[in-house]
Amino acid sequence: MSLRSARRCLNRSRILHPGNRQRKSPGIVVRIGPLSGVVPELLEQAFTIARAGTIANQAELVTESTSIRVRCSQCGAETEAGINRMICGECGDYHTQLLSDDELLLASVELNRSEQAVE
């Protein structure tokens, strides 16, 4: 799963500049939710393999953890929650709706022009 996720991140970064071989990608930032099923350390290892032969062959992968957020059905508050404790942080009710937790988001891609492309 980690190698597939790493390849997806690289494919997404290519969408931003299709066919443009004059650019290099020195950095990619990914946000990982705690319930996404992705282990950041394994994703970083898989990224090293997946980036070979791409515009991101020298890129650094930066992973950022996100928190679990819920919306309370009783009071309407949006608060952070724990993995096994998804209760409202305001009123303590357990009738909550999950807002974020399982995402794997490509947050940013840094691009540099190669020396040859600059005129």
Side-chain angles (χ1 to χ4, degrees):
M1 171 123 167
S2 292
L3 185 55
R4 186 172 74 208
S5 297
R7 285 186 176 143
R8 281 184 182 164
C9 289
L10 288 169
N11 287 337
R12 295 278 185 205
S13 69
R14 281 187 224 143
I15 290 171
L16 299 176
H17 44 83
N20 189 350
R21 299 275 182 210
Q22 301 302 319
R23 290 182 178 226
K24 299 293 180 189
S25 178
I28 296 174
V29 179
V30 177
R31 292 192 182 118
I32 302 173
L35 300 178
S36 66
V38 176
V39 178
E41 295 80 14
L42 296 178
L43 179 62
E44 290 168 6
Q45 290 175 2
F47 182 79
T48 303
I49 296 166
R51 72 182 180 185
T54 71
I55 63 165
N57 63 348
Q58 299 294 318
E60 175 187 355
L61 178 68
V62 176
T63 58
E64 298 175 350
S65 297
T66 62
S67 59
I68 298 172
R69 298 210 40 93
V70 295
R71 178 181 296 122
C72 181
S73 299
Q74 290 294 85
C75 71
E78 293 183 10
T79 60
E80 289 189 10
I83 291 176
N84 294 321
R85 192 165 166 82
M86 294 188 203
I87 61 171
C88 177
E90 291 291 319
C91 70
D93 194 82
Y94 65 90
H95 293 99
T96 58
Q97 175 187 7
L98 206 51
L99 297 176
S100 66
D101 76 332
D102 61 352
E103 60 268 344
L104 174 61
L105 301 174
L106 179 60
S108 67
V109 177
E110 187 179 339
L111 298 173
N112 286 342
R113 288 195 180 270
S114 69
E115 295 292 325
Q116 299 167 350
V118 179
E119 294 183 25

